[in-house]
Amino acid sequence: LFVAVAFYILWLKEIIPASISGTIPESVAATELPTNPVHVIDLSMFLPAICMLGIGLLKGKKMALYLTPVALVFFILMDLTIAALSSILMQRGQGSEEAVTIAMVILALISLFILIWFLRTCNEDLSHSS
């Protein structure tokens, strides 16, 4: 849930001010597309699914227990990819911000920490139950 909320904040931080001021968000203007496809996919499908996974995990649903490591590995890989791309764009002077790279690395590390904690906790639970 933390990672999903962090991404909601990250995307809405760009979308809401542009909507209020009646301007086009920078990421949309830069791509010359009608909208940012990453925002569309994340806000309409991916982040709601991750929220449902988090809620299922809090409720102790088995399927959520199986899918959580998959989602966390995806977060780690996605965050590192975005950080690398942002860093490359920044080095080339193509408009990325250092804050994006730093935020993505921090999110990757948080996801890694949660993954390790989750797997250790599940392993301890399995050891105690057998």
Side-chain angles (χ1 to χ4, degrees), residues 42-90:
D42 280 359
L43 294 171
S44 66
M45 294 175 37
F46 183 69
L47 295 177
I50 295 302
C51 286
M52 288 188 295
L53 179 61
I55 291 167
L57 191 60
L58 290 173
K59 291 183 174 186
K61 301 290 183 182
K62 269 192 176 182
M63 186 59 72
L65 291 172
Y66 297 130
L67 292 175
T68 295
V70 174
L72 288 168
V73 169
F74 176 79
F75 284 153
I76 294 164
L77 296 174
M78 177 185 63
D79 294 340
L80 291 176
T81 301
I82 294 170
L85 291 172
S86 176
S87 179
I88 290 167
L89 289 173
M90 203 170 39

Side-chain angles (χ1 to χ4, degrees), residues 28-41:
V28 175
T31 61
E32 298 180 5
L33 295 171
T35 188
N36 184 329
V38 175
H39 291 170
V40 172
I41 293 168

Side-chain angles (χ1 to χ4, degrees), residues 74-126:
F74 176 79
F75 284 153
I76 294 164
L77 296 174
M78 177 185 63
D79 294 340
L80 291 176
T81 301
I82 294 170
L85 291 172
S86 176
S87 179
I88 290 167
L89 289 173
M90 203 170 39
Q91 289 175 354
R92 292 181 178 175
Q94 295 179 340
S96 189
E97 296 177 17
E98 188 175 4
V100 173
T101 304
I102 292 168
M104 292 300 114
V105 170
I106 290 170
L107 285 172
L109 291 172
I110 290 169
S111 295
L112 178 62
F113 172 77
I114 294 169
L115 176 63
I116 292 167
W117 171 81
F118 182 81
L119 292 174
R120 283 186 179 165
T121 302
C122 287
N123 193 30
E124 288 172 9
D125 289 346
L126 289 173

